[in-house]
RNA sequence: GGGCGCUUAGCUCAGUUGGGAGAGCAUCGCCCUUACAAGGCGAGGGUCACUGGUUCGAGCCCAGUAGCGCCCA
């Protein structure tokens, strides 16, 4: 083995072996265990959030596979409607081709072409991470199986009335020319103005204070052209007399009513609200209550129409309204129209005032364009009937959120569900299986043939399919059963629905988790998963969200392979939305990373993610942690080197032969059992941070720091028998072999690499560690007495080291040790373990002395009631030793005061449980005994 | 406005039923000891945000205050 751990030399090769041998496929035996991957976008590349969640999913998958479960990690990707269409369209535009000039069919061919060539980026990156998902079952939301499921679900939901078509206000993205769901809208606080306009009262009416106009306030003047009412609060005395009267809408000269509605906030603005039902969600509701017509003034570009259009609330056109719009507005963009409205009002002396105002601006999460409430025909899912069983599934505990608290977020949304707009005006996606005849009648079916057959439409009837496609989340909602072959009755549907656990972020509880529960319940009668483990969100080391525009993104692959500073700067500063940020980002990146990022390897990265996976909802990713765990990998690597150096070419008991186990051997076996138990418990609770900590502690602090050191005297001593040496070699090899299996789910590569070399020495045959059984707790190996005895050995050694350290005695200098005033147990332990003590404490000699024996002037440490003495002659400075002891005395005195204070409190003694009181008494006795010894020792030094 | 969360060592975070404040990294000292200097050994460092309550006992339970953050409207 090389002297240093070098991840790049071992990782890729093992992944290829595993995949080519099909080790990732379900075994077909054992209890089903299934994880569904949240399908990443085909356009996507792996970001830190993926890497984090994939680490957790893969750890669970490998763990359960080794536990003997019939394990499937179902993999696949999502066609990502808008995102993919954008990418392909941008590429075409670069060649001077537009989507429209190409036509729909050819454009879709281009998307598929793109998908074949570039869509696999993220799946290659997943392989670098070691993800053991079953690639032979890789699914895509646009493939035939998923598409069939989508059609089937749509048709069935349409037939039972759950899917309907209607003219409603939607969130319209004027940049992409499509409707989006309310979840895809981000409301951002922005600075704007509140304009106050005068609306003249019609027919000679006046306000209470004699004015012939009222003042309305608005943040969106351009919508004035679509006003169909003005609302005031019914209790607002200022306007009481005007209710039922009308105003003459300036510029348009439309007479519109003043209505009373509770929705109005008397305190806001002037207390008069213009109502534009076709261009505002709240106004739509108000307008509906007062039957104010819907007047649409915008086109799909969010520019002013040539002529307005009017509808009632059933979506029927209204014909008896003058739809003329004022001159000069046609085709004006909404923001230009806004300016013109303000100017025109000002010219008419109807602009009352302008105030600064902070408002929530809705923006598309992909386009960042200001979203326009817009009246269009769209398809909807009426979610109420689907929601009920989905809520019950969580309430009843059939589905469990981990951490449990996230169920509250789920309920909060589920209790306030809005119907889901599922149609999108895009080309890339599942085309809606609805056909129209030339009368505008709609027919829904799995295909045109079925539609004709079911509706008795012969070839003379011309049918055209709906141009729209379905929201990407619609197909994603079917993921749990569509990937298993539904609507066919497949073995996978029986075996892997419900899946075991969904691992995902809280940001898509609404988008995806809730919708999967609704759809899977509806169509399979089963829940999609038994547990939902909600992970935290990965942020940078300062708690900032990682984003391209902040220039603080880390690419997981760069952490694995390393990247030089130029490469990193280049990556962070190209393709910025705002190129002006580049200088700032470059400066920061150079300051933070200096020479770039070292190569840490996949295993270290994965271990880091596990170590950070506490219950917290934000996870600040600190590169220093990765470095620490890369060093940990190096530790494992070198421990393995030590083991191999001492066991290869030797008898390790793999072929039988007497094994005589030392105290250290029995101790490390016991500690391993405890670690295995911890591992199982913590995995069960999804506490990957604790799993990592427990593993780290065992390997580093127990196996490496103590056990390997304790093995040295046994192997090197001429006094050791062959059986003793064989016992220790056997323990060295077999503990490491088991610990590799224990660590494999988190660190697949290094464990495989080392295991391959080690397994023969443990007489284990097998092609791969990933197919080995997971270690099991073995009560026979758990030896409490051995742990107590070794604890004593450690205390003696630490006591001596402590004195050495504090007194700056060279580790090369062997020192004499006196044990004084020990018990029978101390004596037995001393006699049994001289070899260990001499070696690890680097002793010259050990003398056992009893009470009454004369003692040299010495430095002191305590092990229980026993004194450890290191004679000071020539070695130790008296004043330094006094200072050291006094510090200890001070510490213990505080402790003594604290405990005796407690025990002097009658309430405590009376009311606290006996065991607690007894414990405190013991503690006090120990502290006092130690104090007396130390004080006596100080006094003795004072006498020199 | 409604909901949720956070505040513990210089930094990033654990702290499971209330009973001796922990880890990693960073810092300081000694050491290139034949697995590992990406290392070893040792050490220092905390008013557990604040106030009050419950309790024999509170980082943990309850109420309130301050600051920070997220989601929804």
């Amino acid at each position: 083995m090389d002297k240093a751990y070098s991840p790049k030399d071992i990782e890729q090769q093992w992944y290829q072996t595993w995949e080519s041998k099909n080790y990732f496929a379900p075994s077909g035996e054992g209890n089903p265990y299934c994880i569904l991957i949240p399908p990443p976008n085909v356009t996507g590349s792996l970001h830190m959030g993926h890497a984090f969640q994939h680490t957790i999913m893969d750890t669970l998958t490998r763990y359960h596979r080794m536990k003997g479960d019939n394990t499937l990690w179902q993999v696949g990707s999502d066609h990502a409607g808008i995102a993919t269409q954008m990418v392909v369209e941008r590429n075409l535009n670069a060649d001077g081709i537009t989507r429209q000039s190409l036509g729909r069919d050819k454009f879709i061919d281009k998307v598929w072409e793109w998908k074949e060539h570039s869509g696999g980026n993220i799946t290659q990156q997943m392989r670098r991470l070691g993800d053991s998902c079953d690639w032979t079952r890789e699914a895509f939301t646009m493939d035939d199986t998923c598409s069939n499921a989508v059609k089937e679900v749509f048709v069935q939901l349409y037939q039972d009335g759950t899917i309907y078509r209607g003219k409603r206000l939607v969130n319209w993205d004027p940049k992409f020319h499509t409707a989006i769901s309310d979840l895809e809208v981000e409301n951002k606080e922005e600075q704007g103005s509140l304009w106050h306009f005068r609306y003249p009262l019609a027919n000679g009416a006046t306000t209470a204070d004699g004015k012939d106009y009222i003042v309305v306030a608005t943040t969106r003047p351009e919508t004035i052209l679509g006003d169909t009412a003005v609302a005031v609060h019914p209790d607002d005395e200022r306007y009481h007399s005007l209710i039922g009267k009308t105003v003459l809408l300036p510029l348009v000269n439309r007479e519109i009513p003043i209505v009373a509605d509770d929705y109005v906030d008397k305190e806001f603005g002037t207390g008069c609200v213009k109502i534009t039902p076709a261009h505002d969600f709240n106004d739509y509701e108000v307008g509906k209550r007062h039957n104010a017509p819907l007047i649409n003034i915008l086109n799909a570009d969010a520019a002013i129409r040539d002529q307005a259009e009017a509808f009632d609330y059933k979506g029927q056109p209204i014909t008896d309204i003058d739809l003329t719009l004022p001159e000069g507005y046609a085709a004006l963009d909404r923001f230009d129209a806004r300016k013109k409205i303000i100017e025109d009002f000002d010219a008419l002396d109807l602009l009352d005032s302008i105030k600064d105002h902070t408002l929530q601006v809705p923006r598309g999460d992909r386009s960042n364009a200001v979203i326009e409430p817009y009246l269009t025909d769209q398809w909807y899912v009426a979610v109420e009937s689907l929601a009920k069983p989905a809520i019950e599934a969580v309430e009843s505990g059939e589905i469990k959120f981990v951490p449990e608290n996230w169920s509250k977020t789920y309920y909060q949304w589920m209790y306030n569900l809005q119907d889901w707009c599922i149609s999108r005006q895009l080309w890339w996606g599942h085309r809606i299986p609805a056909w129209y005849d030339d009368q505008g009648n709609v027919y829904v079916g799995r295909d045109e043939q079925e539609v004709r057959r079911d509706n008795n439409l012969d070839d003379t009837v011309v049918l055209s399919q709906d141009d729209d496609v379905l929201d990407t989340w619609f197909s994603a909602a079917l993921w749990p059963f569509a990937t298993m072959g539904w609507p066919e009755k497949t073995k996978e549907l029986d075996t892997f629905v419900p899946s075991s656990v969904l691992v995902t972020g809280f940001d898509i509880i609404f988008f995806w988790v809730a919708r999967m529960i609704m759809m899977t319940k509806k169509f399979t009668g089963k829940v999609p998963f038994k547990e939902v483990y909600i992970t935290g969100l990965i942020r940078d080391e300062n708690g900032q969200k990682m984003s391209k525009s902040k220039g603080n993104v880390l690419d997981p692959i760069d952490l694995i392979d390393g990247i030089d500073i130029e490469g990193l700067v280049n990556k962070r500063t190209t393709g910025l939305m705002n190129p002006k940020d580049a200088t700032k980002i470059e400066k920061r990146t150079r300051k933070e990373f200096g020479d770039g990022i070292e190569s840490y390897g996949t295993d270290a990265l994965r271990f880091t993610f596990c170590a950070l996976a506490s219950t917290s909802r934000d996870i600040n990713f600190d590169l220093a942690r990765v470095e620490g765990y890369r060093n940990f990998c190096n530790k494992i690597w070198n421990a393995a080197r030590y083991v191999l150096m001492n066991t290869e070419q030797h008898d390790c008991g793999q072929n039988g032969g007497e094994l005589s186990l030392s105290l250290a051997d029995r101790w490390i076996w016991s500690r391993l059992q405890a670690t295995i138990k911890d591992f199982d418990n913590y995995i069960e609770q999804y506490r990957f941070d604790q799993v990592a900590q427990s593993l780290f502690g065992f390997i580093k602090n127990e196996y490496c720091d103590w056990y390997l050191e304790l093995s040295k005297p046994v192997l090197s001593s001429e006094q050791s028998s062959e059986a003793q040496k064989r016992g220790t070699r056997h323990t060295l090899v077999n503990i490491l072999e088991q610990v590799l299996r224990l660590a494999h789910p988190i660190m697949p590569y290094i464990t495989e690499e080392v295991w391959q070399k080690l397994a023969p020495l443990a007489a284990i045959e097998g092609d791969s560690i990933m197919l080995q059984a997971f270690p099991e707790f073995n009560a026979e190996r758990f030896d409490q007495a051995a742990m107590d005895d070794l604890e004593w050995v450690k205390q003696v050694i630490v006591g001596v080291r402590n004195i050495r350290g504090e007194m700056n005695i060279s580790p090369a200098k062997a020192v004499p040790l006196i044990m004084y005033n020990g018990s029978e147990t101390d004596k037995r332990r001393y006699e049994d373990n001289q070899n260990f003590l001499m070696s690890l404490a680097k002793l010259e000699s050990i003398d056992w002395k009893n009470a009454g024996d004369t003692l040299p002037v010495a430095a002191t440490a305590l092990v229980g009631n026993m004194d450890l003495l290191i004679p000071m002659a020539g070695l130790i400075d008296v004043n330094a030793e006094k200072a050291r002891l006094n510090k200890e005395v001070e510490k213990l005195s505080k402790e003594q005061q604290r405990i005796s204070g407690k025990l002097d409190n009658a309430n405590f003694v009376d009311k606290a449980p006996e065991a607690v009181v007894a414990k405190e008494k013991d503690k006090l006795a120990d502290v006092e005994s130690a104090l007396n010894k130390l004080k006596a020792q100080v006094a003795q030094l004072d006498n020199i």
Side-chain angles (χ1 to χ4, degrees):
Chain A
M1 284 173 82
D2 290 338
K3 194 169 170 187
Y5 162 66
S6 170
K8 65 174 181 298
D9 297 337
I10 58 176
E11 296 185 349
Q12 313 239 25
Q13 148 213 350
W14 281 119
Y15 195 90
Q16 279 162 21
T17 307
W18 298 330
E19 187 179 354
S20 67
K21 296 200 172 174
N22 204 26
Y23 290 162
F24 303 153
S27 64
E29 288 162 18
N31 300 321
Y33 185 87
C34 177
I35 294 182
L36 302 164
I37 199 168
N41 292 354
V42 275
T43 59
S45 55
L46 196 81
H47 57 59
M48 292 294 280
H50 290 129
F52 176 44
Q53 291 175 354
H54 287 194
T55 296
I56 284 165
M57 285 185 263
D58 194 48
T59 296
L60 289 169
T61 300
R62 288 177 183 273
Y63 173 77
H64 281 276
R65 191 184 289 120
M66 290 175 79
K67 281 272 180 184
D69 293 341
N70 185 19
T71 305
L72 169 65
W73 183 6
Q74 172 64 46
V75 70
S77 50
D78 186 281
H79 67 279
I82 292 185
T84 311
Q85 181 162 322
M86 262 171 68
V87 168
V88 176
E89 211 171 346
R90 206 184 299 138
N91 290 345
L92 288 173
N93 290 349
D95 298 335
I97 306 169
T98 67
R99 167 166 64 100
Q100 289 75 11
S101 70
L102 210 58
R104 183 167 188 149
D105 290 346
K106 281 191 178 155
F107 177 75
I108 288 171
D109 289 345
K110 287 280 177 197
V111 180
W112 279 106
E113 232 171 76
W114 176 89
K115 192 245 170 193
E116 292 313 313
H117 289 114
S118 317
N121 186 19
I122 198 164
T123 59
Q124 290 310 316
Q125 293 175 312
M126 286 168 63
R127 288 174 165 90
R128 293 298 315 278
L129 271 185
D131 290 356
S132 65
C133 35
D134 185 358
W135 295 105
T136 65
R137 296 184 48 81
E138 184 175 0
F140 180 50
T141 49
M142 282 293 282
D143 66 21
D144 290 345
T145 320
C146 288
S147 297
N148 276 337
V150 167
K151 275 184 221 159
E152 189 63 31
V153 164
F154 189 96
V155 171
Q156 286 193 28
L157 289 178
Y158 179 78
Q159 285 168 352
D160 72 13
T162 307
I163 283 183
Y164 64 93
R165 185 175 153 84
K167 191 181 279 293
R168 298 268 207 88
L169 277 192
V170 294
N171 296 294
W172 183 260
D173 188 322
K175 183 169 173 192
F176 291 146
H177 280 197
T178 180
I180 57 178
S181 85
D182 39 9
L183 286 177
E184 292 162 293
V185 178
E186 290 175 350
N187 288 300
K188 294 181 181 165
E189 202 159 85
E190 293 179 19
Q191 290 305 316
S193 303
L194 193 59
W195 287 272
H196 290 66
F197 294 114
R198 295 176 183 164
Y199 282 17
L201 290 159
N203 308 316
T206 52
T207 61
D209 54 354
K211 295 202 177 81
D212 60 355
Y213 60 85
I214 55 172
V215 177
V216 298
T218 180
T219 57
R220 303 195 51 207
E222 67 277 15
T223 63
I224 282 176
L225 302 176
D227 285 0
T228 56
V230 170
V232 296
H233 195 278
D235 300 340
D236 194 334
E237 288 178 4
R238 292 173 294 178
Y239 306 112
H240 216 257
S241 65
L242 294 176
I243 295 168
K245 302 265 171 44
T246 55
V247 294
L248 191 64
L249 188 61
L251 303 180
V252 218
N253 294 318
R254 181 162 54 234
E255 199 174 321
I256 58 175
I258 297 170
V259 300
D261 199 287
D262 287 342
Y263 159 74
V264 179
D265 177 358
K266 282 189 282 185
E267 309 303 319
F268 186 81
T270 59
C272 291
V273 184
K274 62 192 270 314
I275 301 297
T276 324
H279 294 285
D280 183 280
F281 289 100
N282 290 317
D283 289 9
Y284 182 93
E285 294 303 322
V286 177
K288 198 172 177 182
R289 286 194 283 273
H290 301 280
N291 204 26
L294 293 149
I295 294 185
N296 175 35
I297 58 159
L298 294 177
N299 63 23
D301 293 320
I304 306 292
R305 301 172 61 87
D306 298 344
Q307 194 180 18
E309 48 181 9
F311 299 93
D312 64 20
Y313 288 84
K314 287 179 178 149
Q316 297 304 311
I318 301 176
T319 48
D320 59 348
I321 293 184
D322 179 7
L323 297 170
T324 317
L325 290 169
E327 222 166 293
Y329 281 90
L332 269 191
D333 175 77
R334 52 188 161 162
F335 298 112
D336 297 329
R338 176 178 299 180
K339 279 187 207 134
K340 187 166 167 57
I341 290 273
I342 296 163
E343 285 163 16
D344 287 354
F345 267 76
D346 199 14
L348 294 168
D349 201 24
L350 295 175
L351 175 57
D352 197 79
S353 61
I354 306 173
K355 296 195 169 76
D356 289 341
H357 183 65
T358 309
L359 69 162
Q360 296 283 325
V361 177
R363 289 185 180 273
D365 59 0
R366 300 216 162 258
S367 66
N368 203 39
V370 176
I371 295 303
E372 198 64 49
Y374 190 54
L375 197 62
T376 51
D377 290 306
Q378 302 289 346
W379 291 91
Y380 291 89
V381 174
V383 287
E384 204 185 339
S385 67
L386 301 176
K388 203 164 170 269
I391 292 170
E392 282 164 5
V394 175
E395 280 175 343
S396 69
E398 204 181 351
I399 297 175
K400 218 178 81 189
F401 277 87
V402 181
E404 201 279 324
N405 221 274
W406 287 109
S407 60
K408 287 188 186 171
T409 305
Y410 173 79
Y411 291 137
Q412 200 211 337
W413 192 64
M414 292 299 283
Y415 287 136
N416 298 292
L417 269 186
Q418 304 286 315
D419 281 359
W420 174 16
C421 175
I422 51 172
S423 42
R424 296 288 181 275
Q425 287 65 51
L426 303 172
W427 284 356
W428 175 241
H430 298 283
R431 195 155 170 186
I432 292 176
W435 282 261
Y436 305 89
D437 61 21
D438 49 14
Q439 259 87 60
N441 295 312
V442 60
Y443 308 98
V444 167
R446 288 158 190 83
D447 53 38
E448 188 175 332
Q449 228 181 340
E450 181 184 289
V451 163
R452 288 186 184 277
R453 195 182 60 229
D454 290 356
N455 297 283
N456 295 318
L457 304 172
D458 61 31
D459 287 351
T460 60
V461 181
V462 176
L463 290 179
S464 60
Q465 189 174 359
D466 195 311
D467 281 330
D468 292 349
V469 300
L470 288 165
D471 179 8
T472 306
W473 293 106
F474 189 89
S475 48
L478 318 183
W479 192 245
F481 51 100
T483 52
M484 302 299 162
W486 188 91
E488 305 295 316
K489 291 191 189 330
T490 62
K491 201 177 73 190
E492 285 85 351
L493 271 175
D494 283 340
T495 312
F496 295 121
V497 182
S499 63
S500 308
V501 60
L502 181 77
V503 178
T504 191
F506 57 81
D507 48 335
I508 55 175
I509 290 180
F510 307 145
F511 274 109
W512 193 48
V513 179
R515 287 167 178 173
M516 276 194 287
I517 298 175
M518 291 193 274
M519 290 298 198
T520 311
K521 261 280 175 189
K522 170 86 176 174
F523 288 97
T524 68
K526 298 197 265 187
V527 292
F529 25 72
K530 295 174 210 156
E531 292 182 295
V532 183
Y533 172 62
I534 300 289
T535 65
L537 229 53
I538 300 282
R539 296 166 176 280
D540 77 2
E541 74 280 9
N542 301 312
Q544 297 289 314
K545 212 165 179 169
M546 289 192 185
S547 75
K548 185 83 191 161
S549 60
K550 288 200 186 95
N552 60 350
V553 285
L554 288 171
D555 181 340
I557 302 297
D558 291 342
L559 301 184
I560 293 172
D561 290 340
I563 185 169
D564 62 26
I565 187 66
E566 300 308 326
L568 186 61
V569 166
N570 192 28
K571 233 181 184 177
R572 284 185 165 190
T573 51
T574 48
L576 288 174
M577 197 108 81
N578 186 356
K580 276 185 287 185
D581 294 337
T583 336
K584 194 181 65 198
I585 290 171
E586 170 165 6
K587 209 171 147 193
R588 247 191 47 193
T589 301
R590 287 189 190 278
K591 189 176 169 211
E592 192 182 340
F593 292 98
D595 295 333
I597 299 174
E598 279 183 77
S599 160
Y600 297 118
T602 298
D603 290 319
L605 180 63
R606 289 174 56 125
F607 199 90
T608 308
F609 281 128
C610 284
L612 294 175
S614 65
T615 55
S616 155
R617 61 169 57 183
D618 292 308
I619 293 165
N620 296 358
F621 190 88
D622 187 354
L623 206 57
R625 293 291 291 262
V626 192
E627 184 172 353
Y629 292 127
R630 190 272 315 262
N631 296 350
F632 174 54
C633 288
N634 186 52
K635 189 91 183 164
I636 295 174
W637 183 261
N638 279 289
R641 278 182 64 220
Y642 169 80
V643 172
L644 288 169
M645 280 164 55
N646 285 284
T647 55
E648 275 179 321
Q649 325 291 337
H650 288 96
D651 178 2
C652 307
Q654 64 268 54
N655 304 316
E658 189 196 344
L659 302 176
S660 170
L661 296 190
S662 72
L663 172 65
D665 295 332
R666 286 177 281 125
W667 167 76
I668 197 70
W669 275 111
S670 306
R671 292 301 310 147
L672 177 67
Q673 305 316 309
T675 308
I676 293 170
K677 211 174 200 173
D678 282 351
F679 198 107
D680 285 335
N681 284 340
Y682 290 137
I683 284 271
E684 177 98 3
Q685 301 164 40
Y686 297 101
R687 286 303 303 267
F688 298 93
D689 58 328
Q690 309 277 33
V691 172
Q693 203 181 339
S694 154
L695 203 55
F696 183 93
F698 177 77
I699 294 176
K700 184 158 184 291
N701 304 136
E702 304 195 289
Y703 187 70
C704 292
D705 286 354
W706 285 102
Y707 181 70
L708 293 190
E709 295 307 318
L710 289 163
S711 74
K712 288 174 187 177
V714 176
L715 296 181
S716 65
S717 168
E718 288 169 13
Q719 264 92 60
S720 302
S721 70
E722 197 44 46
Q724 284 172 323
K725 287 188 178 178
R726 193 185 294 120
T728 289
R729 287 194 199 106
H730 182 264
T731 306
L732 275 171
V733 165
N734 284 277
I735 294 280
L736 182 58
E737 194 276 332
Q738 288 210 25
V739 98
L740 290 171
R741 280 190 271 145
L742 202 58
H744 176 75
I746 300 181
M747 301 192 285
Y749 292 119
I750 189 174
T751 52
E752 178 75 292
E753 178 74 16
V754 174
W755 186 85
Q756 293 286 337
K757 296 186 168 69
L758 202 72
L761 295 170
I764 291 176
E765 286 175 21
D767 290 331
S768 168
I769 191 173
M770 61 171 285
L771 303 179
Q772 293 294 306
F774 198 76
E776 285 195 20
F777 177 82
N778 179 350
E780 286 173 22
R781 288 288 200 185
F782 190 81
D783 182 344
Q784 188 61 51
M787 292 198 293
D788 293 344
D789 284 354
L790 197 101
E791 203 45 50
W792 180 91
V793 172
K794 282 167 72 176
Q795 274 184 43
V796 173
I797 294 165
V798 167
V800 175
R801 283 177 180 173
N802 192 319
I803 293 170
R804 275 181 186 284
E806 298 264 318
M807 296 302 130
N808 283 343
I809 298 171
S810 157
K813 170 82 184 158
V815 295
L817 175 67
I818 295 164
M819 291 181 178
Y820 172 64
N821 205 21
S823 66
E824 283 306 307
T825 308
D826 290 327
K827 190 163 191 188
R828 173 182 64 77
R829 286 169 168 167
Y830 145 68
E831 282 168 351
D832 288 349
N833 296 294
Q834 291 189 53
N835 195 14
F836 289 142
L837 298 176
M838 294 289 286
S839 172
L840 271 72
K842 184 84 179 169
L843 298 177
E844 176 187 281
S845 60
I846 308 178
D847 283 319
W848 181 267
K849 301 226 182 211
N850 296 310
D853 291 347
T854 49
L855 300 169
V857 179
T860 313
L862 300 174
V863 174
N865 281 320
M866 181 176 76
D867 295 13
L868 297 179
L869 304 171
I870 296 180
M872 300 177 72
L875 276 176
I876 296 171
D877 176 73
V878 176
N879 288 325
E881 172 65 3
K882 272 198 290 196
R884 191 180 73 89
L885 291 177
N886 279 324
K887 206 168 64 182
E888 190 64 23
V889 166
E890 204 179 317
K891 211 156 87 182
L892 286 174
S893 296
K894 275 188 198 155
E895 182 74 357
Q896 181 202 23
Q897 278 165 28
R898 198 182 60 78
I899 302 172
S900 52
K902 235 175 166 179
L903 286 167
D904 289 346
N905 181 346
N907 277 325
F908 172 72
V909 181
D910 289 347
K911 295 189 180 172
E914 247 176 77
V916 174
V917 177
K919 203 169 147 194
E920 292 296 316
K921 282 183 177 163
D922 285 352
K923 219 188 293 175
L924 183 63
D926 289 348
V927 168
E928 284 180 340
S929 146
L931 261 180
N932 289 337
K933 283 167 188 288
L934 292 175
K935 281 178 179 165
Q937 186 66 19
V938 173
Q940 204 184 347
L941 293 178
D942 279 338
N943 289 336
I944 296 171

